[in-house]
Amino acid sequence: MALIAAALAVVALVLFCLDIAVGESHLPLGRVLDVLTGGGTRAQRFIVLESRLPRALTALMVGIALGLAGAITQSILHNPLAAPDMLGITSGASLGAVTVLVGTGGAGTGLAATVGAPLAALVGGLLTAVAIYLLAWGRSATGERGVTGLRLVLIGIGINALLTAGISWLLTRASLADAQRAQLWLSGSLNAADRAHLAPAAIATTVLALVALGSARTLAALRLGAETTRALGVRIQTQQAILIGAAVIGASVATAAVGPVGFVALAGPQIARRLLRTPGEPLIGSALIGAILVVGADVASRAVFPIDLPVGVVTAAFGGPFLLYLLVRINRKATVS
């Protein structure tokens, strides 16, 4: 398992360097490594360090955050479909950002685009998470009060549909220019990624990683039944709220940085679980797979396809078939049992 994790880390590093190397003027990988270690000409240092490194680092941070967020929610809710983008968190963040982008007119290209939209995305994601949690609160079949995984997933899917409809309504009411600007953001593009987008994404990802890794044993206990978890001394509702809150913040900040990047939080933990052959969704493996998916999609969008596609379009093209695969597997297990 350690060898597979190390191999995933190497793949993520290679893709990270490729993400810096590709562009209008391609650079050899050796030259990229030379610049990153302090060498290269002034022009090469500008291209690598100022132009492309912030974008690659943002893609890396977004992938790690989404991978960790998906691993936390899927582990706690015991459902492979329980990812932030399926539960409506990403849609809540998107609705907040689109509200700012289409409601500011021409100002949407200035301060509102660089600060207002990301901040509104963060607030939208947090408010959506609070609403879903409150609506999912109730009594379980055993009479215990709290939040159950199935109820939260079902309510999240319903909220997601409502928020998606709200986004569509806002786009129909917006001017053509504002609708185009909002649609570009909704596609999950890294084209505008810079140091201003990188800083909050890096901070949120670091905090999320510290909370997740520091709570690894608690998370493993929460994967067990409620009685076993309580016997281990874990305060279920409190720990669930803390971990889900950290996952929501990580996913919301990642969405605020580049727009919604679909299916990474859903697919990353499931791929990691199958590669590492673990009983639950592995945190480090999920983070690495998330990074590989986002950075790899950014490389593919510029090096494989004839046009520069938004990274969200590439991940959606991969995630759609993977979601069908998960649904088929879940249906087969239900049929067998």
Side-chain angles (χ1 to χ4, degrees), residues 226-243:
E227 294 183 1
T228 304
T229 303
R230 195 175 292 106
L232 293 173
V234 177
R235 300 177 63 181
I236 297 178
Q237 297 301 328
T238 301
Q239 293 300 321
Q240 279 184 345
I242 292 173
L243 287 168

PDB file of all heavy atoms in Angstrom, residues 226-243:
ATOM      1  N   ALA A 226     -22.972   2.742  14.908  1.00  0.00           N
ATOM      2  CA  ALA A 226     -23.132   3.764  15.936  1.00  0.00           C
ATOM      3  C   ALA A 226     -22.801   3.212  17.321  1.00  0.00           C
ATOM      4  O   ALA A 226     -22.147   3.889  18.125  1.00  0.00           O
ATOM      5  CB  ALA A 226     -24.563   4.308  15.902  1.00  0.00           C
ATOM      6  N   GLU A 227     -23.244   1.994  17.632  1.00  0.00           N
ATOM      7  CA  GLU A 227     -22.994   1.437  18.952  1.00  0.00           C
ATOM      8  C   GLU A 227     -21.504   1.225  19.183  1.00  0.00           C
ATOM      9  O   GLU A 227     -20.977   1.546  20.258  1.00  0.00           O
ATOM     10  CB  GLU A 227     -23.753   0.121  19.105  1.00  0.00           C
ATOM     11  CG  GLU A 227     -25.275   0.277  19.101  1.00  0.00           C
ATOM     12  CD  GLU A 227     -25.981  -1.037  19.331  1.00  0.00           C
ATOM     13  OE1 GLU A 227     -25.287  -2.062  19.502  1.00  0.00           O
ATOM     14  OE2 GLU A 227     -27.224  -1.046  19.325  1.00  0.00           O
ATOM     15  N   THR A 228     -20.802   0.685  18.194  1.00  0.00           N
ATOM     16  CA  THR A 228     -19.362   0.465  18.325  1.00  0.00           C
ATOM     17  C   THR A 228     -18.620   1.783  18.448  1.00  0.00           C
ATOM     18  O   THR A 228     -17.702   1.923  19.269  1.00  0.00           O
ATOM     19  CB  THR A 228     -18.834  -0.318  17.110  1.00  0.00           C
ATOM     20  OG1 THR A 228     -19.560  -1.540  16.976  1.00  0.00           O
ATOM     21  CG2 THR A 228     -17.362  -0.625  17.274  1.00  0.00           C
ATOM     22  N   THR A 229     -19.008   2.756  17.647  1.00  0.00           N
ATOM     23  CA  THR A 229     -18.361   4.063  17.690  1.00  0.00           C
ATOM     24  C   THR A 229     -18.541   4.712  19.054  1.00  0.00           C
ATOM     25  O   THR A 229     -17.604   5.275  19.625  1.00  0.00           O
ATOM     26  CB  THR A 229     -18.949   4.978  16.598  1.00  0.00           C
ATOM     27  OG1 THR A 229     -18.797   4.352  15.329  1.00  0.00           O
ATOM     28  CG2 THR A 229     -18.231   6.309  16.584  1.00  0.00           C
ATOM     29  N   ARG A 230     -19.758   4.642  19.602  1.00  0.00           N
ATOM     30  CA  ARG A 230     -20.025   5.235  20.914  1.00  0.00           C
ATOM     31  C   ARG A 230     -19.262   4.492  22.011  1.00  0.00           C
ATOM     32  O   ARG A 230     -18.798   5.100  22.984  1.00  0.00           O
ATOM     33  CB  ARG A 230     -21.524   5.207  21.184  1.00  0.00           C
ATOM     34  CG  ARG A 230     -21.959   6.108  22.330  1.00  0.00           C
ATOM     35  CD  ARG A 230     -23.463   6.138  22.463  1.00  0.00           C
ATOM     36  NE  ARG A 230     -24.071   6.809  21.306  1.00  0.00           N
ATOM     37  CZ  ARG A 230     -24.724   6.169  20.340  1.00  0.00           C
ATOM     38  NH1 ARG A 230     -24.837   4.856  20.360  1.00  0.00           N
ATOM     39  NH2 ARG A 230     -25.256   6.831  19.337  1.00  0.00           N
ATOM     40  N   ALA A 231     -19.117   3.167  21.860  1.00  0.00           N
ATOM     41  CA  ALA A 231     -18.378   2.382  22.851  1.00  0.00           C
ATOM     42  C   ALA A 231     -16.900   2.765  22.877  1.00  0.00           C
ATOM     43  O   ALA A 231     -16.234   2.615  23.907  1.00  0.00           O
ATOM     44  CB  ALA A 231     -18.530   0.892  22.555  1.00  0.00           C
ATOM     45  N   LEU A 232     -16.390   3.283  21.750  1.00  0.00           N
ATOM     46  CA  LEU A 232     -14.997   3.725  21.681  1.00  0.00           C
ATOM     47  C   LEU A 232     -14.804   5.118  22.262  1.00  0.00           C
ATOM     48  O   LEU A 232     -13.692   5.641  22.259  1.00  0.00           O
ATOM     49  CB  LEU A 232     -14.523   3.703  20.223  1.00  0.00           C
ATOM     50  CG  LEU A 232     -14.425   2.322  19.576  1.00  0.00           C
ATOM     51  CD1 LEU A 232     -14.105   2.440  18.085  1.00  0.00           C
ATOM     52  CD2 LEU A 232     -13.361   1.469  20.280  1.00  0.00           C
ATOM     53  N   GLY A 233     -15.878   5.718  22.753  1.00  0.00           N
ATOM     54  CA  GLY A 233     -15.768   7.030  23.389  1.00  0.00           C
ATOM     55  C   GLY A 233     -15.862   8.197  22.435  1.00  0.00           C
ATOM     56  O   GLY A 233     -15.470   9.321  22.797  1.00  0.00           O
ATOM     57  N   VAL A 234     -16.367   7.981  21.234  1.00  0.00           N
ATOM     58  CA  VAL A 234     -16.469   9.044  20.243  1.00  0.00           C
ATOM     59  C   VAL A 234     -17.831   9.721  20.349  1.00  0.00           C
ATOM     60  O   VAL A 234     -18.867   9.037  20.371  1.00  0.00           O
ATOM     61  CB  VAL A 234     -16.286   8.483  18.811  1.00  0.00           C
ATOM     62  CG1 VAL A 234     -16.464   9.585  17.773  1.00  0.00           C
ATOM     63  CG2 VAL A 234     -14.914   7.854  18.670  1.00  0.00           C
ATOM     64  N   ARG A 235     -17.832  11.036  20.462  1.00  0.00           N
ATOM     65  CA  ARG A 235     -19.082  11.806  20.459  1.00  0.00           C
ATOM     66  C   ARG A 235     -19.503  11.983  19.004  1.00  0.00           C
ATOM     67  O   ARG A 235     -18.999  12.853  18.288  1.00  0.00           O
ATOM     68  CB  ARG A 235     -18.877  13.142  21.146  1.00  0.00           C
ATOM     69  CG  ARG A 235     -18.427  13.003  22.591  1.00  0.00           C
ATOM     70  CD  ARG A 235     -18.169  14.355  23.233  1.00  0.00           C
ATOM     71  NE  ARG A 235     -19.384  15.165  23.287  1.00  0.00           N
ATOM     72  CZ  ARG A 235     -19.425  16.395  23.780  1.00  0.00           C
ATOM     73  NH1 ARG A 235     -18.304  16.960  24.240  1.00  0.00           N
ATOM     74  NH2 ARG A 235     -20.556  17.072  23.799  1.00  0.00           N
ATOM     75  N   ILE A 236     -20.424  11.154  18.569  1.00  0.00           N
ATOM     76  CA  ILE A 236     -20.712  11.001  17.144  1.00  0.00           C
ATOM     77  C   ILE A 236     -21.150  12.313  16.507  1.00  0.00           C
ATOM     78  O   ILE A 236     -20.561  12.773  15.517  1.00  0.00           O
ATOM     79  CB  ILE A 236     -21.779   9.908  16.926  1.00  0.00           C
ATOM     80  CG1 ILE A 236     -21.244   8.562  17.408  1.00  0.00           C
ATOM     81  CG2 ILE A 236     -22.179   9.842  15.457  1.00  0.00           C
ATOM     82  CD1 ILE A 236     -22.231   7.418  17.289  1.00  0.00           C
ATOM     83  N   GLN A 237     -22.176  12.938  17.041  1.00  0.00           N
ATOM     84  CA  GLN A 237     -22.722  14.138  16.403  1.00  0.00           C
ATOM     85  C   GLN A 237     -21.711  15.275  16.389  1.00  0.00           C
ATOM     86  O   GLN A 237     -21.593  16.005  15.406  1.00  0.00           O
ATOM     87  CB  GLN A 237     -24.011  14.567  17.113  1.00  0.00           C
ATOM     88  CG  GLN A 237     -25.136  13.550  17.040  1.00  0.00           C
ATOM     89  CD  GLN A 237     -25.536  13.234  15.605  1.00  0.00           C
ATOM     90  OE1 GLN A 237     -25.459  14.090  14.728  1.00  0.00           O
ATOM     91  NE2 GLN A 237     -25.957  12.003  15.356  1.00  0.00           N
ATOM     92  N   THR A 238     -20.962  15.429  17.482  1.00  0.00           N
ATOM     93  CA  THR A 238     -19.967  16.505  17.547  1.00  0.00           C
ATOM     94  C   THR A 238     -18.864  16.298  16.523  1.00  0.00           C
ATOM     95  O   THR A 238     -18.493  17.215  15.790  1.00  0.00           O
ATOM     96  CB  THR A 238     -19.357  16.582  18.961  1.00  0.00           C
ATOM     97  OG1 THR A 238     -20.389  16.819  19.901  1.00  0.00           O
ATOM     98  CG2 THR A 238     -18.323  17.699  19.043  1.00  0.00           C
ATOM     99  N   GLN A 239     -18.338  15.081  16.463  1.00  0.00           N
ATOM    100  CA  GLN A 239     -17.257  14.796  15.522  1.00  0.00           C
ATOM    101  C   GLN A 239     -17.749  14.867  14.080  1.00  0.00           C
ATOM    102  O   GLN A 239     -17.023  15.323  13.189  1.00  0.00           O
ATOM    103  CB  GLN A 239     -16.659  13.416  15.817  1.00  0.00           C
ATOM    104  CG  GLN A 239     -15.924  13.330  17.139  1.00  0.00           C
ATOM    105  CD  GLN A 239     -14.760  14.295  17.203  1.00  0.00           C
ATOM    106  OE1 GLN A 239     -14.042  14.499  16.219  1.00  0.00           O
ATOM    107  NE2 GLN A 239     -14.563  14.909  18.361  1.00  0.00           N
ATOM    108  N   GLN A 240     -18.972  14.413  13.843  1.00  0.00           N
ATOM    109  CA  GLN A 240     -19.529  14.531  12.501  1.00  0.00           C
ATOM    110  C   GLN A 240     -19.616  15.996  12.074  1.00  0.00           C
ATOM    111  O   GLN A 240     -19.243  16.346  10.952  1.00  0.00           O
ATOM    112  CB  GLN A 240     -20.922  13.903  12.448  1.00  0.00           C
ATOM    113  CG  GLN A 240     -20.937  12.398  12.301  1.00  0.00           C
ATOM    114  CD  GLN A 240     -22.340  11.864  12.170  1.00  0.00           C
ATOM    115  OE1 GLN A 240     -23.319  12.547  12.446  1.00  0.00           O
ATOM    116  NE2 GLN A 240     -22.455  10.615  11.735  1.00  0.00           N
ATOM    117  N   ALA A 241     -20.104  16.843  12.973  1.00  0.00           N
ATOM    118  CA  ALA A 241     -20.249  18.264  12.647  1.00  0.00           C
ATOM    119  C   ALA A 241     -18.894  18.903  12.353  1.00  0.00           C
ATOM    120  O   ALA A 241     -18.756  19.692  11.412  1.00  0.00           O
ATOM    121  CB  ALA A 241     -20.946  18.986  13.792  1.00  0.00           C
ATOM    122  N   ILE A 242     -17.873  18.569  13.146  1.00  0.00           N
ATOM    123  CA  ILE A 242     -16.542  19.156  12.946  1.00  0.00           C
ATOM    124  C   ILE A 242     -15.960  18.720  11.606  1.00  0.00           C
ATOM    125  O   ILE A 242     -15.467  19.546  10.816  1.00  0.00           O
ATOM    126  CB  ILE A 242     -15.613  18.765  14.104  1.00  0.00           C
ATOM    127  CG1 ILE A 242     -16.069  19.428  15.406  1.00  0.00           C
ATOM    128  CG2 ILE A 242     -14.168  19.157  13.786  1.00  0.00           C
ATOM    129  CD1 ILE A 242     -15.304  18.968  16.627  1.00  0.00           C
ATOM    130  N   LEU A 243     -16.006  17.426  11.342  1.00  0.00           N
ATOM    131  CA  LEU A 243     -15.390  16.908  10.118  1.00  0.00           C
ATOM    132  C   LEU A 243     -16.158  17.345   8.869  1.00  0.00           C
ATOM    133  O   LEU A 243     -15.545  17.736   7.866  1.00  0.00           O
ATOM    134  CB  LEU A 243     -15.312  15.381  10.191  1.00  0.00           C
ATOM    135  CG  LEU A 243     -14.249  14.843  11.151  1.00  0.00           C
ATOM    136  CD1 LEU A 243     -14.438  13.358  11.393  1.00  0.00           C
ATOM    137  CD2 LEU A 243     -12.848  15.114  10.604  1.00  0.00           C
TER     138      LEU A 243
END
